[in-house]
Amino acid sequence: MMDDFLQLDAGLQDDELLIRDTVNRFVTTEVSPLLLDAYEKAYFPKELIPRCAELGLFGLTLPPTYGGAGASYIAYGLVCQELERGDSGLRSFISVQNSLCIYPIFTFGSETQKQRFLPKMVKGETIGCFGLTEPNAGSDPASMQTTAKKVADGWILHGSKLWITNAPFADIAIVWAKTSDGIRGFIVEKEFVGFSRHEIHHKQSLRASSTGELVFDNCFVPDANYLPGSEKGLGAPLSCLSQARYGIAWGAIGAAMACFDKARDYVLERKQFGKPLAANQLIQKDLADMFTEIIKAQCFNLQLGHLKDAGKVTSTMISMAKMNACREALKIARMCRNLLGANGISAEFDVIRHMNNLESVFTYEGTDNVHHLIIGQYLTGINAF
Ligand SMILES: Cc1cc2nc3c(=O)[nH]c(=O)nc-3n(C[C@H](O)[C@H](O)[C@H](O)COP(=O)(O)OP(=O)(O)OC[C@H]3O[C@@H](n4cnc5c(N)ncnc54)[C@H](O)[C@@H]3O)c2cc1C
């Protein structure tokens, strides 16, 4: 396992270390044995849901009033890092439940909605998904075509959402649709008439995660399921994305750490030309470069976590962390894949699974280009989207 070279652990609270180490053990002993089968057969191992609930991984930062643990955002980041050491699919599942479902209900929901949904979501009895992306609206969510029309006692939703994590088995969907007053959020329940879900097949990435389409065919959503705080329009779903991107910045580095650990063990063990691969200067250069990038990103994440816990983080800071972590993690995964030679292409050695997963992580929650444009706008004041 990667050593704490820069002694970053010294800056963590005891409860943060405890949470991290508990999740690390959970991933090693309970998650890892399931991953090869889940990845090859392309399913999310749902048996993990009750265990995630027992470990307090849903609603970790939520106040205890709604069943949450009230933990710090640094603790949440560490959880994402450890989960993604296992698989980006598991971290995606947790990100969606926490950042994209619990967070919007907590932030934009009425007291009645919070009481009704949050405690069950924390217990893992209600699983959510988040529908923003559409077939014709990805990086530009403002161009969404799903509509919500006001009728007596509720709303009629019409349209569809694509590439939605957890969609095939979620109990509720946080759905963003265009009303005559702009974009608003709704809690759509799986039983609602006119609502259907379809699984997306043939993914070559995030195979241990379930992804699907949400279809609203004149689906009636009662007023009770309209999110009253979503009146800030597109800013509401974007603030959810910021929450999720924060966890992704930590998570992607977890995947990089897993690849690094595997590759370092491998090059120490494997001999060619009468000596371990690790005895070659070129290989040591790769190791040194990867180790340095991982530690740089860990420092970034830790500082981001401190700022988030102090309420001082900005969405541009989070964009930079997400962009950097995904780019470096993907580079590291590809480098490790190379270091394992032919074994690097076998899912039995984990690295190619991480590498393929990171292609999705690089694209979702704001592509690499989108984050460059966000930072570019910060630097120049010019919107270049
Ligand atoms: C496995 C997976 C799970 C997902 N889960 C969810 C989910 O749970 N909920 C959800 O709502 N969405 C989800 N998504 C969707 C994801 O957020 C989108 O794929 C992402 O926002 C990009 O949109 P797009 O695929 O339509 O690509 P596009 O927006 O069409 O972009 C295609 C390419 O063009 C580039 N590009 C676009 N605009 C510009 C520009 N102005 N300048 C320069 N380059 C540009 C992009 O960077 C990208 O490289 C998921 C995606 C995947 C792959």
Side-chain angles (χ1 to χ4, degrees):
M1 225 169 98
M2 265 193 71
D3 39 330
D4 182 20
F5 179 71
L6 270 194
Q7 302 177 22
L8 297 179
D9 282 6
L12 298 175
Q13 305 293 325
D14 288 346
D15 58 335
E16 293 165 344
L17 286 168
L18 181 68
I19 291 171
R20 181 195 65 187
D21 295 344
T22 305
V23 178
N24 180 290
R25 269 195 307 280
F26 165 63
V27 168
T28 307
T29 58
E30 297 177 57
V31 178
S32 292
L34 308 177
L35 288 173
L36 182 59
D37 193 62
Y39 186 79
E40 290 201 320
K41 297 191 184 140
Y43 64 89
F44 175 72
K46 290 209 245 347
E47 60 266 44
L48 294 173
I49 297 175
R51 283 295 289 136
C52 289
E54 269 168 42
L55 291 167
L57 305 186
F58 304 131
L60 193 70
T61 58
L62 197 67
T65 337
Y66 301 108
S72 70
Y73 272 98
I74 290 183
Y76 178 64
L78 290 164
V79 164
C80 290
Q81 174 187 289
E82 293 309 314
L83 292 175
E84 203 152 346
R85 283 172 82 113
D87 193 83
S88 305
L90 177 60
R91 200 269 310 136
S92 299
F93 168 78
I94 293 286
S95 286
V96 169
Q97 179 80 347
N98 282 299
S99 302
L100 299 180
C101 296
I102 288 177
Y103 172 80
I105 294 176
F106 176 66
T107 310
F108 309 120
S110 65
E111 192 50 41
T112 313
Q113 290 167 341
K114 291 185 212 184
Q115 298 286 355
R116 178 169 170 222
F117 291 104
L118 294 179
K120 283 190 175 164
M121 296 185 82
V122 169
K123 287 190 202 134
E125 292 164 9
T126 298
I127 297 299
C129 67
F130 177 89
L132 181 65
T133 305
E134 298 186 356
N136 296 318
S139 298
D140 178 20
S143 66
M144 69 171 63
Q145 293 164 345
T146 299
T147 53
K149 210 172 118 208
K150 187 76 189 88
V151 291
D153 304 330
W155 301 77
I156 298 287
L157 261 62
H158 196 74
S160 69
K161 300 285 172 182
L162 200 60
W163 291 109
I164 308 306
T165 303
N166 300 349
F169 61 85
D171 302 294
I172 59 166
I174 305 295
V175 177
W176 303 92
K178 259 188 185 156
T179 70
S180 55
D181 287 331
I183 292 169
R184 299 287 184 270
F186 301 86
I187 307 169
V188 177
E189 300 179 42
K190 65 178 176 198
E191 300 81 11
F192 285 1
V193 177
F195 176 42
S196 58
R197 288 90 59 79
H198 313 277
E199 179 128 23
I200 295 177
H201 298 289
H202 309 300
K203 282 184 301 166
Q204 299 300 313
S205 171
L206 277 194
R207 287 175 62 76
S209 167
S210 185
T211 317
E213 180 188 19
L214 307 175
V215 178
F216 311 96
D217 182 7
N218 290 316
C219 169
F220 176 76
V221 177
D223 280 331
N225 286 39
Y226 165 77
L227 287 171
S230 67
E231 263 143 29
K232 57 205 272 208
L234 190 59
L238 292 185
S239 74
C240 302
L241 296 185
S242 248
Q243 289 288 115
R245 289 165 180 173
Y246 169 80
I248 293 170
W250 286 84
I253 291 306
M257 289 159 72
C259 293
F260 176 84
D261 285 340
K262 187 68 100 183
R264 181 168 61 173
D265 289 351
Y266 190 88
V267 297
L268 282 166
E269 184 82 16
R270 169 114 178 134
K271 289 197 175 76
Q272 289 294 289
F273 301 99
K275 60 183 178 191
L277 291 174
N280 294 291
Q281 289 182 355
L282 286 175
I283 297 224
Q284 290 193 7
K285 178 182 184 302
D286 278 359
L287 291 176
D289 283 344
M290 293 191 289
F291 192 58
T292 306
E293 286 308 327
I294 288 171
I295 287 169
K296 278 158 69 179
Q298 286 174 335
C299 291
F300 195 152
N301 287 341
L302 206 51
Q303 171 65 0
L304 201 67
H306 284 302
L307 290 172
K308 191 154 174 56
D309 279 325
K312 292 182 182 163
V313 82
T314 67
S315 57
T316 312
M317 294 174 187
I318 294 176
S319 275
M320 190 184 281
K322 194 271 180 188
M323 177 185 78
N324 179 67
C326 293
R327 181 185 59 215
E328 295 309 323
L330 191 50
K331 274 200 237 162
I332 289 166
R334 287 172 179 159
M335 251 183 189
C336 292
R337 211 294 306 145
N338 173 49
L339 290 176
L340 266 66
N343 285 326
I345 71 141
S346 167
E348 280 192 47
F349 286 80
D350 300 334
V351 172
I352 197 158
R353 175 169 54 77
H354 284 297
M355 188 187 97
N356 287 345
N357 284 341
L358 286 165
E359 292 288 350
S360 288
V361 180
F362 186 77
T363 287
Y364 71 23
E365 293 285 347
T367 66
D368 183 67
N369 281 359
V370 162
H371 292 298
H372 277 92
L373 293 173
I374 291 170
I375 297 164
Q377 184 168 5
Y378 169 80
L379 294 173
T380 63
I382 302 168
N383 177 343
F385 280 87

